Amino acid sequence: MLFGAAGRIETAEACPNVAPEPARAFEIAPAALFAAYRAARAGGPRPIGHYHSHPSGEAVPSARDAAQAMGDGALWLILTAREARLWVSARPGAFEPVALAVEDD
């Protein structure tokens, strides 16, 4: 999961993938999602999206990703062996690219 505010990813946390075929799809464990939102309500970091990899593909949303996009403004960071690209779920079933800049702290 990705956490942050105002278009800034501040931290990322790995979550279990409970998809029936985890090598082909991802589904964040519901317990991890509930825990993240509970923590945010208690003043913790706010969930703003998630990341996953396309190990043998491109860093663009797949048809499966599009089917899961809710149009809620969530960020989707997609990683490959060579690149990382950021997308926003702009409307159900569709993504728009978002500039990704890495800052040194």
Side-chain angles (χ1 to χ4, degrees):
M1 291 190 69
L2 303 173
F3 299 88
R8 180 182 171 95
I9 300 168
E10 296 172 356
T11 60
E13 181 181 315
C15 296
N17 180 356
V18 297
E21 294 181 68
R24 298 180 41 90
F26 82 96
E27 180 181 337
I28 298 171
L33 285 171
F34 290 134
Y37 284 103
R38 261 193 306 276
R41 283 195 307 271
R46 184 171 69 93
I48 59 170
H50 59 272
Y51 67 94
H52 68 280
S53 64
H54 289 180
S56 59
E58 297 182 41
V60 297
S62 66
R64 184 171 292 164
D65 293 335
Q68 294 177 341
M70 298 181 352
D72 57 359
L75 295 177
W76 290 52
L77 179 60
I78 301 177
L79 310 166
T80 69
R82 292 184 296 264
E83 69 177 325
R85 294 181 67 188
L86 189 61
W87 304 86
V88 64
S89 174
R91 58 190 178 283
F95 294 93
E96 293 179 4
V98 176
L100 178 62
V102 178
E103 298 176 3
D104 291 329
D105 287 334

